[in-house]
Amino acid sequence: MKKILTLVFVSALGGIITLGTYKLFLEEKQPVVIAAAETESPTFLPTSNTRPLFSAEDKIDFTIAAENTVNAVVHVKNVTISKGAYTMQDLFSGRSSERAQTGTGSGVIINADGYIITNNHVIKNAHELSVTLNNNKTYTAELVGADEKTDIALLKIDADEELPYVTFADSDNAKIGEWVLAVGNPFNLTSTVTAGIISAKSRDLSGTSRQSFIQTDAAVNPGNSGGALVNTNGELVGINTAITSQTGSYVGYSFAVPSNIARKVIEDIMEFGNVQNGILGIQGGALNSINAEKIGVTDTEGVYIDDVVEDSGAEKAGIKKGDIIKEIDNIKVSKFSDLTGHLSAKRPNDVVNLIVSRNGDLKSIPVTLAKNDTFTMPLVGRIKDAKAKDLKKFNVTYGVKITELNEQYADYWKKNGIEQGCIITSINDIKVKNVEDVQRALKNQSRYETLRLEVINSNGDLERYNFR
């Protein structure tokens, strides 16, 4: 009996030990699950604690800006006269080969007196100009002046009513991502409004670093050229000018002349009759990783100065070759068009403040802008105002100096004794004493008209040239 009890005890003890071992070492631990009450719903939390971009109370409203703009945007009609080849019918009937062609665009009224800003390419070669308001009244327009470089033109109409107009905004304060409206009158069907944002600033479409457009994704199509780009207050941020497209229609990119540049151009036209350009007096290029490595600097943003023009405002202010322009008037300079865009809104004798990096140190240098005394003349090359010593060298009292010959015609000029430093004294029988005289002499010349030049050659002899 004892043996049986002992055997049972040992067996029970072994079972207990085996079960304990299994529980302690082999059995997987299961997570504890607490069931939520069936009446509760899962809670979803946002990934950040920021509120939605626009609430019902502060959503963007474009209606006020549109109402303040549509009646100030007009339809511009341009009739040009072109000369075509004579046909047999023209010869037998005695008809002229001249043909009238019509182009259209938009414009923006900028004051109650009837001044209208548009693009130069809208009114180029105009024989007749007319403007139709948003109330369908049509007026004959006068061309006050235009600037091909900035593609800005100024028109004037004499209306029998007080005209609505758009006020200028400071385009330097426009921000990337800011809402804007593009307002145009492309088909003379009253004004059309589209909305978008500013996509970029200081865009150069030519690759010459001379342009500085505002880029927007507001839809702009042919016929909208010269129309208004306004902010949500209805203030003029830019003049719609161009699109990039392989089809000729809008594909998501449009460009506008900044309002600061447009305003400066028309103010110059009204006051001086031409555009007054303030010149900094430097030559250089924008930095990037490749350019920085080539010239041995660590900066990858800014404008590197390769050379400083003699007697320029930059030289007089102490700007040196090798300096890197980082800012102009508190505006960051990342590329050359940042610099030229700001300078396009300045005049001679204006002072700009530059932040330059020199050997790693930042310096603040004020520069007084000089008058533009250089010009690229067709066939000849680069010219500039002549100094007294330049004129004395050739024993003349007036003229402009050739500083660089046109590469295409350089051999021709050199064979005839015309070199850098020679003096041009007359263009089309008009005496020229400075670059402005040259520009005026060439302004109204037809491409088919003979160009007549009088030049003092390197021997001091007066030479006359006629070019077709």
Side-chain angles (χ1 to χ4, degrees):
M1 185 67 178
K2 288 183 178 180
K3 290 182 179 181
I4 295 173
L5 291 174
T6 302
L7 183 61
V8 171
F9 176 77
V10 171
S11 298
L13 181 61
I16 292 171
I17 293 172
T18 301
L19 181 61
T21 303
Y22 173 79
K23 288 285 186 179
L24 182 62
F25 297 105
L26 300 178
E27 186 182 45
E28 289 185 11
K29 294 185 178 180
Q30 298 297 322
V32 177
V33 178
I34 301 175
E38 293 180 357
T39 57
E40 293 182 355
S41 300
T43 301
F44 296 94
L45 298 178
T47 56
S48 68
N49 61 358
T50 57
R51 66 188 179 90
L53 183 61
F54 299 121
S55 66
E57 291 78 18
D58 61 6
K59 65 180 180 180
I60 296 296
D61 184 357
F62 299 120
T63 58
I64 296 176
E67 289 172 1
N68 291 341
T69 310
V70 289
N71 292 316
V73 174
V74 302
H75 179 76
V76 179
K77 181 180 177 181
N78 171 14
V79 177
T80 61
I81 302 298
S82 62
K83 291 185 178 181
Y86 275 100
T87 66
M88 292 298 293
Q89 289 181 337
D90 293 332
L91 292 173
F92 283 113
S93 64
R95 291 184 306 188
S96 170
S97 65
E98 294 183 345
R99 302 287 186 270
Q101 294 181 326
T102 301
T104 61
S106 301
V108 185
I109 304 173
I110 54 173
N111 67 17
D113 295 331
Y115 283 97
I116 297 169
I117 189 170
T118 186
N119 286 140
N120 176 69
H121 74 260
V122 170
I123 55 83
K124 191 173 183 179
N125 300 322
H127 181 71
E128 296 177 7
L129 285 170
S130 62
V131 165
T132 302
L133 308 185
N134 205 42
N135 61 10
N136 295 323
K137 290 185 177 181
T138 299
Y139 298 90
T140 299
E142 171 196 357
L143 175 61
V144 180
D147 179 52
E148 187 171 1
K149 178 182 175 182
T150 57
D151 200 14
I152 292 296
L154 182 64
L155 308 179
K156 176 72 166 65
I157 62 173
D158 294 322
D160 53 5
E161 58 184 306
E162 185 171 339
L163 298 173
Y165 60 91
V166 179
T167 59
F168 284 91
D170 184 348
S171 54
D172 284 344
N173 292 333
K175 304 296 183 184
I176 295 175
E178 177 181 343
W179 283 103
V180 286
L181 298 180
V183 187
N185 197 322
F187 305 113
N188 201 15
L189 299 174
T190 70
S191 294
T192 300
V193 180
T194 57
I197 62 169
I198 293 177
S199 306
K201 296 176 66 176
S202 302
R203 284 297 198 212
D204 175 22
L205 305 182
S206 66
T208 62
S209 299
R210 296 174 184 171
Q211 297 177 335
S212 186
F213 290 116
I214 293 174
Q215 179 183 325
T216 175
D217 65 352
V220 172
N221 281 292
N224 282 80
S225 289
L229 187 72
V230 300
N231 58 24
T232 53
N233 295 322
E235 300 167 323
L236 192 65
V237 175
I239 298 298
N240 297 319
T241 298
I243 61 175
T244 56
S245 171
Q246 294 180 339
T247 65
S249 298
Y250 174 75
V251 294
Y253 305 97
S254 58
F255 302 88
V257 178
S259 59
N260 286 3
I261 296 177
R263 177 170 55 186
K264 184 259 182 184
V265 168
I266 62 172
E267 287 175 350
D268 282 356
I269 289 172
M270 294 174 72
E271 184 174 354
F272 305 105
N274 54 34
V275 178
Q276 306 289 300
N277 294 312
I279 303 302
L280 187 61
I282 61 103
Q283 295 176 354
L287 287 173
N288 53 37
S289 297
I290 297 175
N291 293 338
E293 184 177 355
K294 285 182 179 178
I295 60 180
V297 299
T298 58
D299 297 73
T300 57
E301 289 186 312
V303 170
Y304 181 82
I305 299 176
D306 288 319
D307 196 14
V308 180
V309 178
E310 181 184 4
D311 293 331
S312 66
E315 184 187 58
K316 293 175 182 178
I319 299 293
K320 299 182 181 298
K321 178 180 178 179
D323 286 350
I324 299 171
I325 301 176
K326 308 295 288 184
E327 291 184 11
I328 180 169
D329 292 339
N330 298 317
I331 297 173
K332 182 180 178 180
V333 175
S334 298
K335 49 190 181 295
F336 211 94
S337 54
D338 291 328
L339 181 66
T340 55
H342 187 73
L343 291 174
S344 294
K346 299 296 180 181
R347 297 184 178 87
N349 298 319
D350 284 351
V351 177
V352 296
N353 190 69
L354 300 182
I355 301 295
V356 302
S357 175
R358 180 180 296 169
N359 299 323
D361 296 326
L362 294 179
K363 296 181 178 291
S364 177
I365 303 177
V367 179
T368 301
L369 302 180
K371 181 182 177 182
N372 183 17
D373 62 352
T374 63
F375 176 67
T376 300
M377 185 176 168
L379 301 175
V380 178
R382 197 76 175 164
I383 63 170
K384 68 175 296 182
D385 290 357
K387 297 181 180 180
K389 63 180 182 180
D390 300 322
L391 299 174
K392 185 177 180 180
K393 178 181 176 180
F394 293 96
N395 195 29
V396 292
T397 57
Y398 64 88
V400 294
K401 178 181 176 181
I402 300 173
T403 61
E404 183 179 344
L405 291 174
N406 183 312
E407 291 184 4
Q408 184 177 355
Y409 302 102
D411 290 341
Y412 169 82
W413 289 118
K414 290 176 181 179
K415 287 178 182 178
N416 287 275
I418 306 300
E419 301 174 348
Q420 294 180 16
C422 289
I423 303 296
I424 299 173
T425 57
S426 173
I427 298 176
N428 295 337
D429 302 324
I430 300 173
K431 292 181 179 180
V432 291
K433 300 178 181 179
N434 49 46
V435 167
E436 290 183 357
D437 287 344
V438 173
Q439 292 172 323
R440 279 192 289 267
L442 295 173
K443 182 177 180 180
N444 297 319
Q445 181 181 7
S446 166
R447 60 181 297 185
Y448 304 106
E449 186 179 349
T450 300
L451 175 65
R452 300 180 299 279
L453 301 178
E454 290 186 357
V455 187
I456 307 296
N457 66 19
S458 55
N459 295 322
D461 299 325
L462 178 64
E463 300 278 358
R464 293 180 174 86
Y465 299 91
N466 294 324
F467 297 97
R468 279 195 180 276

